[in-house]
Amino acid sequence: MCNAHINYYVCINLDCAQPPVNQYEVDFCALNMARSKSKNKGSTSPGFNRAVQLLLHITAVIQFNYGVVYFHNLEMPSSVFHPFAGKFKFLTFLCAIIQALYYIVSLVNDFVGTNELVPKRPPAIRKFKDWLMSTLAFPVAINVGVTFWTLYAIDRELVFPKVLDPVFPSWLNHVLHTNIVVFIVLEMFTSYRAYPSRSKGLTGLGIFMVSYLVWIHIIKHYSNVWVYPVLEVLQLPQRIVFFVAVLGFTFALYLLGEFLNNVVWAKEVKLSQRKSK
């Protein structure tokens, strides 16, 4: 089949006005067709995809914001909780705030932004949504969920002492350590996002995680108590290995999110890359 025949065939399938004459025009035609299709099922469409996204985002906004407020006001036993820095010392609490913020931004984007797969000019709210999901919401949520339940299975006293059971509701524990994983994975499969460059994404995540490690050392200095009981039983060399492992694991989760996005939304990623060239 000659090139002209191929281009004419591509044009007919992509509804172009004239046959493309080179590969660039074929790609451009494909991109315009993808925009047209995504616009029809985007944020202004009453279709199934929009309904699923709205249901997910509304449910997440309600539960994570309520969970943040409930946890912030929760009275915890003095035997396991030092008042310095309040709940802001816990990565679990910071993660819940990130999730609450992300789903608020997502819900706002559903109404005033765009959910087009490859928008021609994405609004600021959509750009921030994509960045927040890629850089913080996904890797931090998976980190908190996996780390918590792994340590809980080894020895729950390392992360969630039994003394908390009478005051810490089971549903709140699952909102903060289970649902964050469930909802962020569902979000990965129901909404496309354009990942930032890997260097920018990992830099943003690295700044957040290193800042948190510095923060817990500041708390230790002023309160003389480690935020997590597991740190009390580790010697300095072991703590260093633990912190390095946490950072490495979190960076790996960023790469996992990027990989899943590229697999689940392969066509959209390819078109987005063509657009940026």
Side-chain angles (χ1 to χ4, degrees), residues 57-119:
H57 294 159
I58 291 172
T59 304
V61 165
I62 293 172
Q63 73 161 324
F64 290 124
N65 280 274
Y66 182 71
V68 166
V69 173
Y70 192 99
F71 185 30
H72 182 262
N73 296 324
L74 185 68
E75 294 290 337
M76 299 180 66
S78 59
S79 59
V80 295
F81 179 76
H82 193 282
F84 183 81
K87 306 302 192 320
F88 289 93
K89 64 168 68 71
F90 299 119
L91 185 60
T92 290
F93 186 64
L94 299 178
C95 176
I97 292 175
I98 291 172
Q99 304 307 308
L101 174 62
Y102 171 73
Y103 290 110
I104 289 174
V105 171
S106 297
L107 191 59
V108 172
N109 178 75
D110 290 338
F111 290 100
V112 302
T114 178
N115 283 316
E116 289 184 35
L117 297 178
V118 189

Side-chain angles (χ1 to χ4, degrees), residues 15 32 53 143 166 211 236 254 257 267:
D15 296 333
N32 284 337
Q53 290 171 348
N143 182 2
S211 297
L236 178 59
Y254 176 91
K267 294 181 180 179

Side-chain angles (χ1 to χ4, degrees), residues 1 46 70 106 121 130 150 174 176 182 193 213 217 246 251 255 258:
M1 185 180 293
Y70 192 99
S106 297
R121 292 184 179 88
D130 289 357
T150 299
H174 284 294
L176 299 176
V182 173
R193 80 282 315 146
L213 293 182
H217 281 82
V246 168
F251 290 150
L255 299 178
E258 184 183 64

Side-chain angles (χ1 to χ4, degrees), residues 217-254:
H217 281 82
I218 292 174
I219 294 171
K220 167 64 175 176
H221 174 74
Y222 285 102
S223 67
N224 199 34
V225 175
W226 285 109
V227 173
Y228 302 103
V230 63
L231 297 175
E232 297 283 0
V233 301
L234 298 178
Q235 300 300 318
L236 178 59
Q238 296 172 319
R239 283 199 299 271
I240 293 175
V241 172
F242 178 79
F243 291 141
V244 170
V246 168
L247 288 175
F249 179 58
T250 309
F251 290 150
L253 291 175
Y254 176 91

Side-chain angles (χ1 to χ4, degrees), residues 159-221:
V159 288
F160 195 82
K162 291 182 179 180
V163 69
L164 290 176
D165 287 347
V167 298
F168 205 103
S170 177
W171 65 264
L172 181 61
N173 188 20
H174 284 294
V175 166
L176 299 176
H177 298 115
T178 305
N179 291 6
I180 55 170
V181 175
V182 173
F183 274 74
I184 209 65
V185 171
L186 289 175
E187 178 73 3
M188 175 66 74
F189 282 84
T190 57
S191 297
Y192 168 70
R193 80 282 315 146
Y195 260 68
S197 66
R198 185 173 294 177
S199 60
K200 291 182 179 179
L202 288 175
T203 298
L205 178 60
I207 290 173
F208 173 80
M209 290 302 298
V210 171
S211 297
Y212 180 71
L213 293 182
V214 172
W215 175 229
I216 63 176
H217 281 82
I218 292 174
I219 294 171
K220 167 64 175 176
H221 174 74

